[in-house]
Amino acid sequence: MLIKSGFIDGNEYRDFSGDEKRVYLMGLMDGSFLAPVYGAPKARIEWLERCVTGMTDAQLVAIIDKFLQANPARWHNDMHTLVYSAMLEACRPYRGE
């Protein structure tokens, strides 16, 4: 599947202030939840919805920052794909694994 390049990469995200990280990630999550509007099956994102329900923006930042800290070789990758990878890892119990 071809994924369009994102607006920023991990290096740029790492330079964001805490407020900028929270706003960026909230927007990315909101966009993810709109995927069914564009034809993506709702079942494909239910694990993510279950995982982040009740989570604060600070928790989301902590998850992503931890993932980036553990994966410096990927900092040049598009941030939206890094967030997806981080959430796959962090939300494993919600994915039925």
Side-chain angles (χ1 to χ4, degrees):
M1 153 180 0
L2 178 63
I3 304 294
K4 179 163 177 19
S5 294
F7 287 99
I8 67 166
D9 64 23
N11 286 305
E12 292 168 296
Y13 170 87
R14 292 182 69 247
D15 288 336
F16 283 1
S17 70
D19 287 342
E20 290 170 320
K21 288 178 178 182
R22 286 191 296 274
V23 169
Y24 173 81
L25 293 173
M26 286 187 295
L28 195 143
M29 285 295 124
D30 282 348
S32 296
F33 299 146
L34 273 177
V37 171
Y38 296 103
K42 175 127 172 91
R44 298 288 307 265
I45 61 165
E46 285 177 346
W47 64 270
L48 181 61
E49 290 176 346
R50 286 192 306 272
C51 182
V52 302
T53 296
M55 194 178 284
T56 67
D57 54 355
Q59 285 174 281
L60 191 56
V61 169
I63 290 167
I64 303 310
D65 286 353
K66 180 181 176 184
F67 179 83
L68 289 173
Q69 185 65 31
N71 295 282
R74 296 185 61 185
W75 291 352
H76 66 286
N77 295 149
D78 290 325
M79 195 59 207
H80 63 322
T81 60
L82 292 171
V83 170
Y84 180 72
S85 295
M87 296 311 290
L88 281 175
E89 185 177 295
C91 298
R92 189 174 311 273
Y94 297 92
R95 294 175 38 227
E97 296 180 3

